[in-house]
Amino acid sequence: MVTRSHDYSNPDYWRLDSLQAPVFLCDQPCLAIAGPGSGKTRTIIAKAARLIQANRNDLSTVAMVTFTKAAAKEMEHRLRSALPELFAQRGGKKPFIGTFHGLSYRLLQDYWRTSGLRRKILSEQEVYDLIVQSTSEAGSKLRFDEVQRAIERYKSFPADFPLADSEILSESYQIFSIYEKRRMANGACDVNDMVRECLAGIRAGTIKPLPVKYLLADEMQDADLVQHDWVLAHHANGVIPSLVADDDQSIYAFRNAAGFRGLKLFCEATGAQVFPMTFNYRSCTSIVEAADLIIRNTPDRFAKNIQAKRPEEGSIDIQLHRASTAPAQDSETVQARAIVLAAKQWLEQHPKASAAVISRTNIELDTIELACKMLQVPFIRMGASDFLKRPHVVRALLALSLPGNPNDHIAFSSACFVSDNIAPTARNAILEFFHQSDGMTHVLDLASSSGLLSAMRRDDQTAFRAFRNWISDWFDEFESSDELLSAAIVKLLNRFASQCKESQAAKDLSFLAVMLSQWCSGSLANRVNILSQRTEQPKDKVGAVTLCSAHASKGLEFHHVTIINATDAYWPHDKEESAFSEEKRLFYVAATRAMDHLTISMYESDAAKKVSLSCFVQPLLDEAVRARRLLDIEENTPADASQPMEAGA
């Protein structure tokens, strides 16, 4: 309720700490450097409420802008909760809350309507067609994705941005120029034009800026130069901006985010005060200290003293996973099983807790998802899974299922390409032969036809005979006892893997063999059903394991976090020197999702080589050695299990 008894101007009313209060009270341009768990959302909502109350309870005094619709909805929800009486008033003005694109589109619509203009918003398909046409007109051989990234990059600069001559003469810029000419000739806009055209209109005086006194912008480390200039254009029209950002969490350079550079430009242009909000209320002490070790020597960042405000020590483990009884490539499955079981145990011991497994790339989560399925652990997958859709995996499962339907000629003809070692011409002959069959003959009898083999080259005949013989053995073995069935599954899938041209395909088939032989039991049908089942994902992360990439984890928090594959093969993923700092910030983001416990995990991919720890983890081990808290696992330890490397409590 908004009443006289509510002193919204008092930081104590909002329970703000000594670092949040200066941001809350500042009525001039300012930049809050708000680290993980710093209470930034509560601070800017409190500030918005204070400014609204101080301006006669006029909700339209303030605009709030962020990057996603979900974040904008959350902002509005929390401001409504802070000012329920004002939002309940009928006919009153409402605050401007939305994304950069949404608010810009709103201003553009007003301008188009008053100017009598009609503008078309291009669909994704229309953008695709326009890029293809422009590339063709330029006579370029550049790939679509290269051109698309280049166009998005050019549109992340204001229209008057001074590009280098070499850039203007480049092939990609020539395509961009044609694209823009075609787009404008049709009176059309794409999504990336919204903020850019709005900015140009505000600067030219043809578009009115948002009619507000204050502009509060969140997550501004993710803003590109156009979005920063959009804020500055409002400032030039008398609007007072307050920015909230964390340069240490700038992880979207591939989307042309300006990061630290953009924040510095804002400060120089506005004379903004910089307020550090570096108290961390999310994570325990050991996790905050470890995260600081990871990030502290990164160049181009604001100086800050990050401090944990939770009294609990928390815990960190660094673990190496390897297998001695299985081939070296199966160490990844050892890792998957171990970390899923550890997360399950944590959730059982902490009934109201959450857990997450975080990877550098989405594809690494496939093994974790399948481990969750096999071990019947509730999970939430953020991002698509494609393991069971990969052609070699689909074909391997078809091959395994053949004894259940020995007359399935279509399944057999598809399955025989599982190792991708038969030439395209022979493939066509095989498919034509089996697809024209009557469907009544046993597949192995049909596969022995001399007419079929005579249509192939010798190498293809050899590969096809090997597949046929392996399937014949499988027919003899698939009804064995549980233990013998497991051995037969491993034998067949490893045979397929041995003939694969691609190492990833061989690795996937070996992983499939481990899952079906070691992680479940019973009939073949039962095992495949467990693997292929459509899993009902929990709606609440509490009690479940969330699987996400480091990029997708941003903004989230979990009691128990495991970062997987912490070797130099994965972290940094982008090996370019220019990307190193961003890769480090991405690892920092992953680590700071943890509230109570952090596990950093890796597996030994080659038994003949010592595992190479990611350079982002090395500072943690160096500090542990300095503090004499490290247990060396390289000596006198068995090599057939997951081994902990303890760092911290």
Side-chain angles (χ1 to χ4, degrees):
M1 298 289 289
V2 178
T3 67
R4 295 180 182 276
S5 62
H6 289 157
D7 186 3
Y8 281 20
S9 64
N10 187 344
D12 292 337
Y13 173 83
W14 299 97
R15 302 189 305 279
L16 301 180
D17 64 34
S18 60
L19 298 183
Q20 297 164 344
V23 178
F24 169 80
L25 294 170
C26 183
D27 284 336
Q28 299 302 316
C30 69
L31 169 62
I33 300 299
S38 61
K40 67 181 179 67
T41 304
R42 179 156 57 92
T43 303
I44 60 173
I45 293 298
K47 181 168 185 173
R50 177 183 73 80
L51 293 172
I52 289 168
Q53 187 190 49
N55 287 270
R56 300 180 180 180
N57 289 330
D58 183 358
L59 287 170
S60 64
T61 297
V62 169
M64 304 184 77
V65 61
T66 187
F67 286 85
T68 67
K69 292 179 181 179
K73 286 182 179 180
E74 176 66 15
M75 274 186 174
E76 181 172 353
H77 171 74
R78 295 184 67 162
L79 190 60
R80 281 180 179 273
S81 297
L83 303 170
E85 189 175 88
L86 290 183
F87 275 88
Q89 292 176 358
R90 293 179 177 270
K93 294 181 179 180
K94 302 300 181 185
F96 295 87
I97 302 177
T99 65
F100 279 99
H101 289 89
L103 293 178
S104 294
Y105 183 52
R106 181 171 176 174
L107 295 177
L108 285 169
Q109 283 184 308
D110 290 342
Y111 167 64
W112 295 337
R113 184 171 54 253
T114 57
S115 302
L117 297 174
R118 297 186 65 181
R119 302 297 297 273
K120 173 182 175 59
I121 308 301
L122 296 171
S123 67
E124 288 186 13
Q125 184 60 52
E126 288 170 322
V127 169
Y128 175 88
D129 292 339
L130 192 54
I131 290 175
V132 171
Q133 292 168 359
S134 302
T135 304
S136 177
E137 183 178 333
S140 172
K141 300 297 184 183
L142 290 177
R143 299 194 316 271
F144 172 83
D145 60 325
E146 292 177 302
V147 177
Q148 183 182 43
R149 284 196 301 270
I151 290 175
E152 290 175 351
R153 177 173 173 270
Y154 291 130
K155 293 199 175 192
S156 72
F157 300 133
D160 59 353
F161 186 83
L163 293 171
D165 290 342
S166 59
E167 188 86 65
I168 294 173
L169 294 173
S170 69
E171 186 176 1
S172 60
Y173 191 82
Q174 299 309 307
I175 300 171
F176 170 69
S177 299
I178 295 170
Y179 176 92
E180 286 293 271
K181 182 179 178 180
R182 284 174 172 267
R183 178 186 66 78
M184 290 187 287
N186 286 279
C189 290
D190 65 34
V191 173
N192 295 308
D193 291 315
M194 300 297 181
V195 186
R196 199 168 186 252
E197 290 206 6
C198 183
L199 168 62
I202 294 173
R203 284 177 165 175
T206 57
I207 295 178
K208 295 180 181 179
L210 293 172
V212 297
K213 291 180 65 175
Y214 301 95
L215 174 64
L216 279 62
D218 194 14
E219 301 286 0
M220 281 299 292
Q221 75 277 354
D222 298 336
D224 61 27
L225 291 177
V226 170
Q227 291 159 336
H228 272 286
D229 278 7
W230 187 89
V231 172
L232 293 178
H234 278 82
H235 178 247
N237 281 272
V239 178
I240 300 173
S242 297
L243 270 55
V244 181
D246 183 8
D247 50 317
D248 289 337
Q249 295 188 75
S250 178
I251 57 173
Y252 293 114
F254 68 93
R255 294 182 188 167
N256 307 302
F260 176 78
R261 174 191 177 194
L263 299 175
K264 290 289 287 185
L265 288 173
F266 168 77
C267 293
E268 291 167 1
T270 63
Q273 289 183 268
V274 179
F275 297 105
M277 286 174 49
T278 52
F279 290 159
N280 186 315
Y281 292 91
R282 171 189 297 158
S283 304
C284 291
T285 302
S286 61
I287 296 171
V288 173
E289 291 177 350
D292 184 55
L293 285 170
I294 292 168
I295 201 68
R296 66 168 53 165
N297 293 322
T298 307
D300 296 331
R301 67 188 289 257
F302 289 94
K304 52 183 75 75
N305 179 26
I306 303 172
Q307 300 177 53
K309 297 299 286 184
R310 289 182 59 188
E312 300 90 348
E313 177 64 20
S315 57
I316 300 175
D317 292 318
I318 301 176
Q319 295 182 346
L320 170 64
H321 303 275
R322 54 191 172 193
S324 62
T325 56
Q329 67 250 29
D330 291 338
S331 296
E332 185 176 6
T333 67
V334 174
Q335 175 187 242
R337 182 181 179 87
I339 63 178
V340 169
L341 287 175
K344 179 182 181 181
Q345 183 180 24
W346 174 275
L347 293 173
E348 289 172 348
Q349 294 173 349
H350 305 82
K352 296 183 179 181
S354 58
V357 177
I358 301 177
S359 62
R360 173 58 183 86
T361 61
N362 188 55
I363 195 172
E364 299 164 55
L365 295 169
D366 288 342
T367 56
I368 311 301
E369 175 180 337
L370 294 170
C372 287
K373 283 186 175 183
M374 292 295 192
L375 299 170
Q376 299 183 316
V377 176
F379 70 94
I380 299 170
R381 175 76 184 261
M382 299 175 63
S385 170
D386 69 349
F387 181 84
L388 294 175
K389 298 176 183 177
R390 295 173 193 169
H392 47 275
V393 174
V394 172
R395 287 173 174 145
L397 291 174
L398 286 173
L400 288 170
S401 68
L402 283 171
N405 191 356
N407 296 335
D408 191 342
H409 300 163
I410 293 177
F412 182 90
S413 62
S414 181
C416 69
F417 308 137
V418 61
S419 299
D420 195 27
N421 58 348
I422 297 177
T425 53
R427 286 188 180 199
N428 292 335
I430 292 168
L431 290 171
E432 183 71 16
F433 181 84
F434 278 92
H435 287 191
Q436 289 185 352
S437 65
D438 58 12
M440 302 296 292
T441 308
H442 195 291
V443 290
L444 293 177
D445 293 336
L446 201 62
S448 301
S449 169
S450 58
L452 172 62
L453 293 172
S454 64
M456 304 182 203
R457 295 182 313 162
R458 181 169 297 178
D459 289 348
D460 296 325
Q461 288 180 8
T462 301
F464 183 78
R465 283 195 184 101
F467 175 80
R468 183 190 63 195
N469 293 338
W470 293 343
I471 294 298
S472 178
D473 292 344
W474 170 239
F475 268 83
D476 294 336
E477 297 168 338
F478 91 102
E479 288 186 327
S480 305
S481 64
D482 197 67
E483 184 177 345
L484 292 177
L485 176 61
S486 293
I489 290 171
V490 171
K491 182 172 73 172
L492 180 62
L493 293 179
N494 283 346
R495 279 175 163 177
F496 293 157
S498 69
Q499 297 298 310
C500 284
K501 293 181 178 180
E502 299 293 333
S503 60
Q504 182 61 49
K507 180 178 178 181
D508 289 343
L509 295 178
S510 296
F511 175 53
L512 184 63
V514 171
M515 284 191 298
L516 292 175
S517 64
Q518 297 181 19
W519 292 10
C520 53
S521 59
S523 68
L524 176 67
N526 178 66
R527 301 181 194 216
V528 174
N529 285 339
I530 293 174
L531 175 68
S532 305
Q533 65 185 331
R534 293 178 62 86
T535 308
E536 186 72 26
Q537 294 196 346
K539 293 181 172 60
D540 192 338
K541 68 179 183 180
V542 173
V545 182
T546 298
L547 314 181
C548 57
S549 68
H551 279 105
S553 74
K554 188 169 176 288
L556 304 177
E557 61 183 26
F558 307 91
H559 297 90
H560 178 285
V561 167
T562 301
I563 301 174
I564 62 171
N565 301 338
T567 65
D568 60 4
Y570 294 91
W571 299 90
H573 179 70
D574 188 335
K575 307 302 182 185
E576 294 293 329
E577 185 177 350
S578 59
F580 184 81
S581 292
E582 174 135 338
E583 291 280 331
K584 182 191 284 190
R585 291 192 294 270
L586 191 57
F587 194 85
Y588 171 79
V589 166
T592 54
R593 303 309 93 195
M595 300 167 66
D596 300 323
H597 180 81
L598 173 64
T599 295
I600 298 174
S601 172
M602 69 207 78
Y603 67 91
E604 191 174 64
S605 59
D606 188 341
K609 297 179 181 178
K610 184 177 179 180
V611 66
S612 184
L613 186 68
S614 168
C615 57
F616 304 146
V617 184
Q618 195 60 50
L620 308 187
L621 291 184
D622 292 343
E623 174 61 20
V625 169
R626 189 194 65 78
R628 296 184 180 181
R629 291 184 292 171
L630 177 65
L631 297 179
D632 188 356
I633 71 160
E634 295 302 327
E635 298 179 4
N636 302 319
T637 55
D640 58 354
S642 304
Q643 304 293 339
M645 300 170 71
E646 297 184 5

